[in-house]
Amino acid sequence: MNYSSRINTIEKGEIICGSLLFLLLPPIITLPILCFYVLQQKYARKTNYILFFICIALYFASINATKRPAGDQIQYYYAYKNVPTKGFIGSLIHIYGLQASWEEERNNISGEFMNGVYNYLGYYLTCGYYPIFAAIITFANYILVFLGLYKFAQTLKKPHIPIICGVTILSFFYLYFQYLLQIQKQFLAQSIMMYVLGSYAISGKMGKKEWLMTGCAIFTHAATSLFLPFLLFKPLRNRLTKIGLLCMGILFSLLIIMGPQLAGNVVSSMGDTALSYGANRLAKSEINNDTEFGLIWSQVFIVALPIAWIVLRKLWMERKTLTQAHAFILNVVLLLLLTITAMFRQPLAQYRYFMMIFAFMPFVYPFICQNTQQRDKILKIIAIIMIIWFYYQFDKIVWSFAPEIDIIIKSPILLLLGNYYTI
């Protein structure tokens, strides 16, 4: 076997054994060993990365398995629990469950029916034990983004640190973690789309698998259709001129501002069907606003502004240094930032789209500096801050999890089977 084949070969036995050990041993031991194991690899193999991805995803999945359903998650919990009584078709209709007698009666299959598919399959796969289902959803969220990042990172110079630190930054970013089961549909849909975007960035092609996953993402949460133009129109994958950037910015901003009115026209012509579901939600976005939600300015300054600065600097001042793959991802993030800005009359939708920025952090941060040594130092610093901040903030998260000491000293398998949640 030549060197290139050895690097890219996946050793399934090593991954299975490593994952099992991680499940059985305390995180206080396994997490430092895992980080050392992957960082010290001068020429890391694909096996090393996959094992790292799986173990990190398992850790956070096991923590979420201890979460007591609350807030929006209660709807998803009931949708899962109602599977035996509602059956497959009923699960496609009632993606939010039937938790109260006053709820509006639904008769049509939801436009986000894939959530019913996940609930139906997940219920019988996990024998009705919700903590395991919550863990599977969390694991899928993380692993899909990790794999998308891995694909995209192959276009970077010396991608090792961007991959390891990118995974660490996203995983330990407490805001991303705390919303995974609260905004379950949106986060799962975006995770699927992040894999597609990472794959398309490096290949420039959409195969059957990518189109199938794109369909799953859109029918999991309609908001991911925002990224569809970048998969359909090849010019958006290229470096745009300054005039092109300005035109794209103006056109997308106008489209977002006029979106509710245009969507209302679509709904009136198509009626209330699964295909018009996304348009119907957009049409009502200016009147169905939760006043408790809106942009939190501290989050804007910490998350959005640094990303906006990196994206605008690269696309405007350093665009000639960008490859097609890099320009594609940065164009997507620019669209997302413009969408958030243009949704000033839709605060609830604006905040939901703002949360989409989180998953792009590891894709954008490697462009913080052209010098790879300085870039890697900055990424390591950000990763360390994220780890410290996660454990500092954990007990302050409004949702109820296992005690912080448990997520540090108890093995993931004990967290998974500990039955911490009650409802």
Side-chain angles (χ1 to χ4, degrees):
M1 183 183 295
N2 60 38
Y3 175 77
S4 178
S5 298
R6 186 171 64 84
I7 287 290
N8 291 298
T9 298
I10 298 177
E11 300 290 343
K12 294 181 181 178
E14 184 177 336
I15 292 174
I16 292 171
C17 291
S19 301
L20 288 175
L21 280 174
F22 186 85
L23 278 172
L24 296 172
L25 296 175
I28 195 171
I29 296 173
T30 53
L31 284 177
I33 292 176
L34 181 67
C35 292
F36 176 79
Y37 159 81
V38 72
L39 280 173
Q40 61 86 32
Q41 301 287 337
K42 189 174 181 180
Y43 300 103
R45 296 171 294 142
K46 193 171 185 179
T47 296
N48 303 137
Y49 290 122
I50 298 298
L51 178 58
F52 179 67
F53 298 163
I54 289 175
C55 290
I56 292 295
L58 283 173
Y59 178 58
F60 287 94
S62 67
I63 297 175
N64 254 347
T66 72
K67 183 179 182 300
R68 178 180 181 178
D72 290 351
Q73 186 195 356
I74 293 177
Q75 297 176 314
Y76 301 122
Y77 169 82
Y78 277 105
Y80 169 86
K81 284 296 187 181
N82 286 335
V83 164
T85 57
K86 292 300 173 184
F88 182 67
I89 299 300
S91 296
L92 304 185
I93 296 172
H94 302 288
I95 62 170
Y96 293 112
L98 286 172
Q99 67 207 58
S101 59
W102 48 262
E103 261 196 323
E104 179 183 352
E105 182 65 28
R106 301 182 181 95
N107 299 308
N108 297 327
I109 291 177
S110 170
E112 295 172 344
F113 64 85
M114 284 304 299
N115 295 280
V117 176
Y118 308 142
N119 285 325
Y120 186 83
L121 296 178
Y123 183 88
Y124 291 107
L125 181 65
T126 60
C127 301
Y129 186 61
Y130 182 74
I132 299 293
F133 179 72
I136 292 173
I137 292 293
T138 303
F139 181 87
N141 266 285
Y142 280 113
I143 207 71
L144 286 166
V145 182
F146 295 167
L147 292 174
L149 174 63
Y150 176 79
K151 285 177 173 288
F152 173 69
Q154 304 311 305
T155 67
L156 301 172
K157 293 180 181 178
K158 298 182 178 179
H160 184 59
I161 296 301
I163 292 173
I164 302 307
C165 289
V167 167
T168 305
I169 288 168
L170 182 66
S171 303
F172 285 90
F173 184 40
Y174 83 97
L175 285 177
Y176 185 80
F177 169 77
Q178 77 170 14
Y179 285 125
L180 277 179
L181 294 181
Q182 291 302 314
I183 321 293
Q184 179 180 306
K185 291 194 292 95
Q186 177 181 318
F187 273 64
L188 181 57
Q190 189 186 359
S191 296
I192 299 170
M193 189 61 79
M194 295 305 294
Y195 177 89
V196 174
L197 294 175
S199 180
Y200 181 69
I202 192 171
S203 69
K205 298 178 181 178
M206 288 288 289
K208 291 181 180 178
K209 181 179 75 172
E210 285 74 24
W211 280 120
L212 178 62
M213 293 183 73
T214 299
C216 288
I218 292 173
F219 289 112
T220 298
H221 200 283
T224 52
S225 58
L226 176 74
F227 305 112
L228 198 55
F230 286 90
L231 305 176
L232 292 172
F233 301 111
K234 287 284 185 180
L236 294 178
R237 189 173 178 269
N238 300 322
R239 293 177 303 188
L240 299 177
T241 63
K242 291 183 178 181
I243 293 177
L245 283 170
L246 288 172
C247 290
M248 183 185 78
I250 293 171
L251 287 174
F252 272 117
S253 297
L254 289 174
L255 183 61
I256 295 301
I257 293 171
M258 297 171 60
Q261 181 179 350
L262 295 174
N265 295 334
V266 171
V267 173
S268 62
S269 61
M270 292 181 62
D272 187 13
T273 65
L275 291 176
S276 66
Y277 179 85
N280 189 36
R281 291 191 65 174
L282 179 58
K284 296 177 180 179
S285 61
E286 290 186 352
I287 56 176
N288 290 347
N289 276 317
D290 189 333
T291 55
E292 294 182 2
F293 280 90
L295 291 182
I296 299 173
W297 290 107
S298 61
Q299 295 178 12
V300 172
F301 285 117
I302 294 172
V303 178
L305 286 186
I307 288 180
W309 174 75
I310 295 171
V311 169
L312 291 173
R313 177 174 57 82
K314 296 298 292 187
L315 288 177
W316 192 262
M317 299 177 64
E318 301 175 9
R319 57 192 177 82
K320 292 183 179 180
T321 67
L322 295 173
T323 65
Q324 273 192 326
H326 300 164
F328 169 72
I329 288 295
L330 294 175
N331 285 339
V332 171
V333 179
L334 177 61
L335 164 64
L336 181 56
L337 291 168
L338 289 171
T339 299
I340 295 165
T341 304
M343 284 183 162
F344 56 89
R345 293 186 299 186
Q346 305 153 255
L348 179 57
Q350 185 183 47
Y351 190 68
R352 290 295 183 94
Y353 276 98
F354 171 79
M355 288 189 286
M356 286 188 173
I357 295 177
F358 302 162
F360 283 99
M361 291 162 56
F363 289 77
V364 174
Y365 284 170
F367 298 105
I368 199 166
C369 183
Q370 285 191 341
N371 182 288
T372 55
Q373 288 185 334
Q374 292 181 1
R375 174 202 70 186
D376 291 350
K377 287 180 181 178
I378 294 171
L379 291 177
K380 289 177 181 178
I381 291 171
I382 297 174
I384 291 170
I385 291 173
M386 287 295 188
I387 293 173
I388 295 171
W389 194 246
F390 175 80
Y391 289 109
Y392 173 75
Q393 286 288 138
F394 186 77
D395 279 341
K396 297 179 176 63
I397 295 175
V398 296
W399 318 119
S400 177
F401 297 88
E404 185 167 5
I405 188 64
D406 284 13
I407 72 167
I408 295 174
I409 66 172
K410 282 193 174 182
S411 67
I413 196 68
L414 290 179
L415 294 175
L416 282 168
L417 302 178
N419 200 20
Y420 285 88
Y421 89 103
T422 54
I423 187 169

